[in-house]
Each structure stands twice: as structure tokens, then as C-alpha cells.
Amino acid sequence: MPRRKAPEPVEAEQEAPAPPPLVPGVARALSPLVRRIVAPNPGKMTGPGTNTYLVGIDEIAVIDPGPDLPDHLDAVSGCGGDRIRWIVCTHTHPDHSPGAAGLKARTGAEVMAWDSRDGLEVDRKLRDGALIEATEFRLQAVHTPGHASNHLCFVLEEERMLFSGDHLMQGSTVVISPPDGNMAVYLESLSKVRALRLRSIAPGHGHLIEDPRGAIDEYIEHRTAREQQILDLLVASGTAKIDDLVEVIYVDVDPELHPVARRTVHAHLLKLAKEGKVKGRSIDGKWTAV
Ligand SMILES: [Zn+2]
């Protein structure tokens, strides 16, 4: 007979305990007005899964219905029922918006995003500054292109909470994939969000971020450092292909993520080219320091 396993050691109590794990399908209250349900789509690009947020009590706006997974959509509609009046999407990537149609079918709610794209059909287009006004809360749309040209963040005015979609994530950096992704525009959008008065950030992936300014500054510093690293490497080698740069810069990163890293390096190089610091065009071509 196999011996019983020894009990796991009990972790010592810490000053700031780690937030509880992100468990798919379980609604978790993050504040008086906000609940989160994680979609069961964990992965290399989605971390623990896509966060779907329910904002409001009597009238509910769902932010990012996530992928078209019936169990997830049942969990969301089970939590909000016919009080769900609005379905808003931060952008139209496959882990954020395809659930909109199924959730609309379950609730009759109005679908809103920047535009109809990638299979998403919106009932109302949202522009920068657009307001969703409920009896208990107001959500304001903030256009934040960069990760995707149609990306919106949303500020919950009553709690100064920013729903950041893929503009800012917890636990990983954001992929900028040209041509729809644009690094220069992304950095401008980070500055735009940095200027908002915020108390917390509810990202599309990962835990709630309690130090918005610090997190945004880290993002900006990371991007600035990465850009300098790419430029230095290109200056040192004169001419290089993106694959060569990725192998040096992302030496510690899982090679499975290198195709994604290539796209982000391409985005950095396109920004540097526009600034007249490098020459080149395509993701497979040669790049030269000027
Ligand atoms: Zn995305």
C-alpha cells in the first residue's frame, strides 16, 4: 500500500498576504460595486484567464465578456441576471469580446465597444469620453490605442477604478503587435492613463493593482529600457534581423514566446525608425542603426 503523503508545510503568516488565487467561474467581490469572474481560458497569453467584471448592483455593466465559452457566460448571467444592461468590450481580441453575442442572447443587454470588428457586432460605438450612466455609477470610456487601435479603458468614477483590458496587465507585459499595435501610440496612451486620478486598476488578466501610478511607471520604464537595449544592440552590430535581436534580448524567456517577442521588437523598431534612429521595415528584413 502506498504510504500517505506527508502534510504540506504551513506557510508562515506574512505582512501582506498574496491575493487568493484566480479561480474560474467563481464570482469575487472586489469593491462595493465590482465583482470579477475569471474565464476558464488560462494560457501563455492570458495568464490565469480573462477577467470579466460586473459593475453595479441594480443595473450592471459587464466589462469584457471574454471568450465564447457557455459555462463562463452562464456564470456571468447567473451572477447578474436580467440586471445586466450593458456589455462593454475593451477591444476585439479573441480572449475579450467573442462572448458578447452569447451574453446578449442570455440577457438582452446592449453591446458596446469602439467599433464592430473581429466578429463583434456593437449596438453602440463608444468614443473617448463616452459615458455609461447607471443609477448607482458612471463609467467613462478612455480611448487607449497601442495594444489594439480600438482599445478602450473604463473609469468607474465612484471608486476611481480603471478597467484596463490589455492596456495594463498584472503579472506580465503587454504585447504590441504591428500594424494594429503601435508602440509610440501605446506609450502615449500610458501617459494618458497616468494622468488620471486612480485608486486601483482592474486589469484584463491578473489581480487587482492597488498602486496605479507605480504600475504605470514600471510599464513606461520597462518599455524605455527595452527600446534602449534594442537600439544599443543594433548600434553595436550595425545591421541585424529581428530574430538575432530576440535571441539576445529574450535569452531568459521561454522560446515558445519568441514569436510574440519578435512582434514587440518589431513595434519598438518601427517607433525608432519613425524617430530617424534606425532603418528597416519588415519583421523578416534587415534593420540598420542610423
Ligand atoms: Zn488583447
Side-chain angles (χ1 to χ4, degrees):
M1 251 181 88
R3 282 181 58 192
R4 277 182 66 186
K5 265 177 76 179
E8 295 288 325
V10 178
E11 248 179 61
E13 222 172 286
Q14 293 173 342
E15 288 266 330
L22 295 151
V23 181
V26 181
R28 189 178 157 75
L30 301 178
S31 75
L33 283 171
V34 179
R35 284 162 290 169
R36 176 189 63 209
I37 300 181
V38 182
N41 64 334
K44 279 198 165 38
M45 301 309 300
T46 55
T50 304
N51 290 329
T52 296
Y53 294 100
L54 292 93
V55 180
I57 308 297
D58 296 332
E59 292 180 301
I60 295 172
V62 170
I63 299 177
D64 279 347
D68 185 19
L69 298 172
D71 285 353
H72 179 59
L73 299 179
D74 286 345
V76 174
S77 63
C79 185
D82 58 7
R83 289 165 296 134
I84 297 177
R85 291 200 46 200
W86 306 278
I87 300 163
V88 295
C89 300
T90 56
H91 62 305
T92 51
H93 284 170
D95 51 331
H96 289 262
S97 63
L103 193 59
K104 182 183 176 174
R106 286 164 171 80
T107 60
E110 187 183 13
V111 176
M112 296 183 286
W114 178 263
D115 57 4
S116 292
R117 210 180 84 181
D118 304 325
L120 177 73
E121 290 292 331
V122 301
D123 299 309
R124 197 196 331 169
K125 287 182 181 177
L126 297 174
R127 286 296 168 261
D128 188 50
L131 284 173
I132 297 163
E133 297 191 72
T135 47
E136 313 155 285
F137 68 87
R138 293 211 313 180
L139 269 178
Q140 184 163 39
V142 186
H143 188 216
T144 45
H147 170 72
S149 59
N150 64 359
H151 197 289
L152 294 167
C153 291
F154 295 91
V155 180
L156 174 58
E157 292 185 353
E158 286 68 22
E159 298 183 351
R160 305 309 303 171
M161 187 186 283
L162 181 82
F163 298 90
S164 66
D166 281 355
H167 188 49
L168 292 145
M169 301 180 192
Q170 185 273 327
S172 74
T173 58
V174 168
V175 174
I176 308 296
S177 183
D180 193 53
N182 182 308
M183 189 61 77
V185 169
Y186 178 67
L187 287 165
E188 280 168 26
S189 292
L190 281 180
S191 298
K192 185 177 182 179
V193 164
R194 192 183 183 280
L196 301 171
R197 192 168 47 82
L198 299 173
R199 222 180 285 154
S200 61
I201 297 175
H205 305 276
H207 293 283
L208 196 69
I209 297 167
E210 309 271 11
D211 173 19
R213 194 55 75 82
I216 296 167
D217 284 345
E218 253 179 55
Y219 262 73
I220 294 172
E221 280 161 27
H222 171 77
R223 288 300 175 194
T224 308
R226 187 66 92 209
E227 180 179 301
Q228 193 59 47
Q229 194 183 11
I230 291 167
L231 187 59
D232 289 348
L233 198 56
L234 203 55
V235 167
S237 49
T239 295
K241 286 184 140 192
I242 287 177
D243 279 338
D244 308 328
L245 300 174
V246 166
E247 265 184 38
V248 177
I249 295 168
Y250 292 85
V251 66
D252 296 327
V253 171
D254 182 348
E256 267 191 57
L257 288 172
H258 281 189
V260 174
R262 287 177 89 225
R263 299 206 292 270
T264 297
V265 170
H266 189 208
H268 275 293
L269 287 168
L270 288 171
K271 175 177 178 285
L272 288 166
K274 213 172 171 199
E275 293 165 3
K277 294 174 183 164
V278 305
K279 274 193 178 148
R281 268 188 81 82
S282 77
I283 193 160
D284 296 313
K286 284 191 171 148
W287 290 80
T288 314
V290 174

PDB file of all heavy atoms in Angstrom, residues 91 93 95-96 147 166, ligand 1:
ATOM      1  N   HIS A  91     -11.615  45.733 -26.149  1.00  0.00           N
ATOM      2  CA  HIS A  91     -11.119  45.629 -27.518  1.00  0.00           C
ATOM      3  C   HIS A  91     -11.593  44.296 -28.080  1.00  0.00           C
ATOM      4  O   HIS A  91     -12.286  43.545 -27.382  1.00  0.00           O
ATOM      5  CB  HIS A  91      -9.597  45.787 -27.585  1.00  0.00           C
ATOM      6  CG  HIS A  91      -8.798  44.750 -26.861  1.00  0.00           C
ATOM      7  ND1 HIS A  91      -8.965  44.460 -25.524  1.00  0.00           N
ATOM      8  CD2 HIS A  91      -7.816  43.917 -27.292  1.00  0.00           C
ATOM      9  CE1 HIS A  91      -8.111  43.523 -25.169  1.00  0.00           C
ATOM     10  NE2 HIS A  91      -7.409  43.157 -26.221  1.00  0.00           N
ATOM     11  N   HIS A  93      -9.988  41.470 -29.296  1.00  0.00           N
ATOM     12  CA  HIS A  93      -9.151  40.271 -29.373  1.00  0.00           C
ATOM     13  C   HIS A  93      -9.952  39.048 -28.902  1.00  0.00           C
ATOM     14  O   HIS A  93     -10.913  39.193 -28.129  1.00  0.00           O
ATOM     15  CB  HIS A  93      -7.877  40.468 -28.541  1.00  0.00           C
ATOM     16  CG  HIS A  93      -6.880  41.361 -29.240  1.00  0.00           C
ATOM     17  ND1 HIS A  93      -5.759  41.849 -28.609  1.00  0.00           N
ATOM     18  CD2 HIS A  93      -6.844  41.847 -30.508  1.00  0.00           C
ATOM     19  CE1 HIS A  93      -5.071  42.595 -29.471  1.00  0.00           C
ATOM     20  NE2 HIS A  93      -5.712  42.610 -30.622  1.00  0.00           N
ATOM     21  N   ASP A  95      -9.767  36.736 -26.788  1.00  0.00           N
ATOM     22  CA  ASP A  95      -9.982  36.384 -25.379  1.00  0.00           C
ATOM     23  C   ASP A  95     -10.834  37.431 -24.641  1.00  0.00           C
ATOM     24  O   ASP A  95     -11.062  37.293 -23.436  1.00  0.00           O
ATOM     25  CB  ASP A  95      -8.641  36.169 -24.648  1.00  0.00           C
ATOM     26  CG  ASP A  95      -7.681  37.322 -24.839  1.00  0.00           C
ATOM     27  OD1 ASP A  95      -7.744  37.997 -25.885  1.00  0.00           O
ATOM     28  OD2 ASP A  95      -6.853  37.570 -23.930  1.00  0.00           O
ATOM     29  N   HIS A  96     -11.297  38.466 -25.346  1.00  0.00           N
ATOM     30  CA  HIS A  96     -12.053  39.532 -24.660  1.00  0.00           C
ATOM     31  C   HIS A  96     -13.502  39.703 -25.120  1.00  0.00           C
ATOM     32  O   HIS A  96     -14.378  39.921 -24.290  1.00  0.00           O
ATOM     33  CB  HIS A  96     -11.310  40.876 -24.788  1.00  0.00           C
ATOM     34  CG  HIS A  96     -10.070  40.920 -23.967  1.00  0.00           C
ATOM     35  ND1 HIS A  96     -10.014  41.510 -22.733  1.00  0.00           N
ATOM     36  CD2 HIS A  96      -8.848  40.377 -24.189  1.00  0.00           C
ATOM     37  CE1 HIS A  96      -8.797  41.350 -22.227  1.00  0.00           C
ATOM     38  NE2 HIS A  96      -8.074  40.662 -23.096  1.00  0.00           N
ATOM     39  N   HIS A 147      -2.008  48.730 -27.816  1.00  0.00           N
ATOM     40  CA  HIS A 147      -2.111  47.265 -27.853  1.00  0.00           C
ATOM     41  C   HIS A 147      -3.026  46.870 -29.022  1.00  0.00           C
ATOM     42  O   HIS A 147      -2.736  45.930 -29.762  1.00  0.00           O
ATOM     43  CB  HIS A 147      -2.659  46.758 -26.520  1.00  0.00           C
ATOM     44  CG  HIS A 147      -3.026  45.305 -26.532  1.00  0.00           C
ATOM     45  ND1 HIS A 147      -2.086  44.302 -26.563  1.00  0.00           N
ATOM     46  CD2 HIS A 147      -4.235  44.688 -26.556  1.00  0.00           C
ATOM     47  CE1 HIS A 147      -2.697  43.136 -26.592  1.00  0.00           C
ATOM     48  NE2 HIS A 147      -4.009  43.335 -26.592  1.00  0.00           N
ATOM     49  N   ASP A 166      -6.317  45.043 -21.904  1.00  0.00           N
ATOM     50  CA  ASP A 166      -4.933  44.619 -22.144  1.00  0.00           C
ATOM     51  C   ASP A 166      -3.985  45.818 -22.238  1.00  0.00           C
ATOM     52  O   ASP A 166      -2.842  45.663 -22.674  1.00  0.00           O
ATOM     53  CB  ASP A 166      -4.834  43.808 -23.449  1.00  0.00           C
ATOM     54  CG  ASP A 166      -5.301  42.374 -23.259  1.00  0.00           C
ATOM     55  OD1 ASP A 166      -5.611  41.990 -22.120  1.00  0.00           O
ATOM     56  OD2 ASP A 166      -5.347  41.636 -24.260  1.00  0.00           O
TER      57      ASP A 166
HETATM   58 ZN    ZN B   1      -5.612  41.920 -26.440  1.00  0.00          ZN
END
